[in-house]
Amino acid sequence: MSKPAILALEDGSVFHGTAIGADGQTSGEVVFNTAMTGYQEILTDPSYSRQIVTLTYPHIGNTGVNSEDVESSSIAAAGLVIRDLPLLASNFRCEQTLSDYLAQQNVLGIADIDTRRLTRLLRDKGSQNGAILAGPDAEGEGAEARALEAAGAFPGLKGMDLAKVVSCTEPYEWSEGEWTLGSGYADASLGERPYHVVAYDYGMKRNILRMLASRGCRLTVVPAQTPAEEVLAMNPDGIFLSNGPGDPEPCDYAISAIQAFLETEIPVFGICLGHQLLALASGARTVKMNHGHHGANHPVQDLDSGRVMITSQNHGFAVEEASLPDNLRAIHRSLFDGTLQGIERTDRPAFSFQGHPEASPGPRDVAPLFDRFVEMMRRRR
């Protein structure tokens, strides 16, 4: 039998729907994602920590979930909001239904609400702090008031350092390569691995590591707060700065480490939060966006070639282009709203990209960024 659920926003908006997943209460920043597929990758992306994700595509859960299509060890999102959960999950790779997966991971979800109305609200007013109450917590006369109170109590992501929260706690090696239908993930350790890359885990997505491993990189993943001297002692050929959640400005430990790397000639490549941290370490500024970029259909232009790429995006903060110092230049720009999407140091072998090239929305429009990083390491060697 269905159970009630309530979604409340800080502006006073309330949505009543059906609970999917676990019972209880959760809060976070409510954002919308326009991707039509990939809900399992979205849920397990650590960049969504402390965020409640609204999916604009109406039917979510059609293909169920499986153990291969995950970007981390568990669901990272604080909650899920959808229009419709199909009664049947049908796919030859399906191992579990979405609702069972949410319940198993103790994650709350709400279905059967008007996600178009919610998306318009978030687009016009900006991302909202919100809360979901599901099951017994959503019943009774005081349920709406409790939901609104929980939504108002969430402090917001501005000023919140989450990279060190979601990061790994110990260094580890990675050798899993890219996935092939019928074969699964490749063992990249069987091939040549001429380049040693140290990858900072600020909320790492696994497919980033897979794409680097498939390009001949021997990977050592380190926690977010690892000092620069420890990484330099590993004698890396390149340093990678991963994606991650929260506000980049409070991550002083990461900014100071990156500044130390920029004193060397070691190639540096950053994605998403790593892009913002490279900018901050170089003297630029970041700003909180109105509703951020979350989706798999964002056009981005390469400013050097003029080529337009279809990209996957997931970020609520952006680098302010007007703040770029003389040793940083813009190399990519969003064709949705003109925000900065890529930067390059003019005095060091370092560059970064705001979107997610490993998410393959094009499907391979942005993959050459990994090749560029490998080429930088080859040239230095």
Side-chain angles (χ1 to χ4, degrees), residues 15-348:
F15 298 79
H16 290 266
T18 304
I20 56 172
D23 293 343
Q25 176 180 310
T26 187
S27 61
E29 181 184 74
V30 184
V31 299
F32 65 89
N33 187 304
T34 57
M36 295 175 67
T37 61
Y39 54 82
Q40 190 174 351
E41 291 90 338
I42 290 168
L43 285 169
T44 55
D45 179 356
S47 298
Y48 278 114
S49 177
R50 303 307 302 272
Q51 289 185 315
I52 296 172
V53 185
T54 303
L55 297 177
T56 60
Y57 187 71
H59 306 296
I60 301 297
N62 315 52
T63 56
V65 298
N66 65 78
S67 56
E68 289 185 322
D69 292 351
V70 294
E71 291 291 354
S72 64
S73 59
S74 62
I75 293 177
L80 177 65
V81 181
I82 64 174
R83 173 67 186 90
D84 174 62
L85 179 70
L87 294 177
L88 177 66
S90 178
N91 185 273
F92 73 100
R93 298 174 67 222
C94 177
E95 299 172 2
Q96 193 177 22
T97 66
L98 174 59
S99 56
D100 287 346
Y101 181 54
L102 291 170
Q104 181 188 70
Q105 299 265 329
N106 197 32
V107 175
L108 277 67
I110 180 172
D112 300 326
I113 73 163
D114 187 348
T115 51
R116 291 175 298 179
R117 175 192 161 210
L118 175 58
T119 300
R120 287 196 299 268
L121 190 156
L122 297 175
R123 180 196 64 195
D124 296 341
K125 294 187 177 182
S127 300
Q128 295 270 312
N129 296 333
I132 297 175
L133 271 59
D137 286 30
E139 299 173 346
E141 293 183 3
E144 277 195 16
R146 292 195 301 272
L148 288 167
E149 182 181 3
F154 183 72
L157 294 185
K158 179 67 176 175
M160 191 176 287
D161 176 5
L162 295 175
K164 63 186 180 185
V165 176
V166 301
S167 179
C168 61
T169 56
E170 297 290 338
Y172 63 92
E173 303 292 319
W174 182 276
S175 61
E176 185 177 82
E178 295 181 78
W179 185 84
T180 304
L181 180 63
S183 302
Y185 291 108
D187 184 355
S189 65
L190 300 177
E192 283 191 49
R193 295 193 293 169
Y195 307 109
H196 179 210
V197 173
V198 175
Y200 269 91
D201 178 10
Y202 304 127
M204 181 78 72
K205 291 178 69 178
R206 289 177 176 175
N207 210 45
I208 293 173
L209 297 173
R210 295 179 187 123
M211 293 185 78
L212 287 170
S214 293
R215 285 164 171 77
C217 296
R218 178 171 59 86
L219 292 155
T220 302
V221 184
V222 298
Q225 294 179 286
T226 303
E229 54 266 27
E230 289 187 22
V231 170
L232 293 174
M234 299 177 190
N235 194 28
D237 295 296
I239 295 169
F240 177 77
L241 314 173
S242 85
N243 62 292
D247 189 342
E249 286 191 3
C251 303
D252 51 355
Y253 50 88
I255 295 168
S256 60
I258 296 167
Q259 288 171 335
F261 301 140
L262 293 173
E263 293 298 317
T264 74
E265 291 298 325
I266 301 172
V268 176
F269 176 31
I271 285 176
C272 193
L273 182 65
H275 157 76
Q276 298 160 11
L277 292 171
L278 177 64
L280 290 171
S282 301
R285 294 191 299 270
T286 56
V287 294
K288 182 78 167 69
M289 303 176 74
N290 178 55
H291 51 71
H293 289 168
H294 310 279
N297 58 347
H298 287 238
V300 170
Q301 186 171 37
D302 183 319
L303 300 181
D304 291 332
S305 67
R307 178 173 171 263
V308 176
M309 307 171 290
I310 300 302
T311 72
S312 180
Q313 303 275 323
N314 175 24
H315 62 105
F317 293 82
V319 177
E320 188 177 51
E321 186 168 351
S323 72
L324 296 186
D326 293 339
N327 62 352
L328 273 184
R329 73 181 189 98
I331 58 174
H332 295 99
R333 184 172 292 122
S334 168
L335 296 184
F336 267 175
D337 57 12
T339 53
L340 187 63
Q341 283 280 316
I343 56 173
E344 178 184 57
R345 284 285 294 246
T346 59
D347 57 343
R348 290 289 186 271

Side-chain angles (χ1 to χ4, degrees), residues 356-379:
H356 284 267
E358 83 291 339
S360 307
R364 301 195 178 275
D365 289 21
V366 206
L369 291 180
F370 291 103
D371 300 325
R372 175 178 179 175
F373 182 45
V374 172
E375 175 62 17
M376 289 167 64
M377 292 187 285
R378 188 195 66 80
R379 286 181 181 178

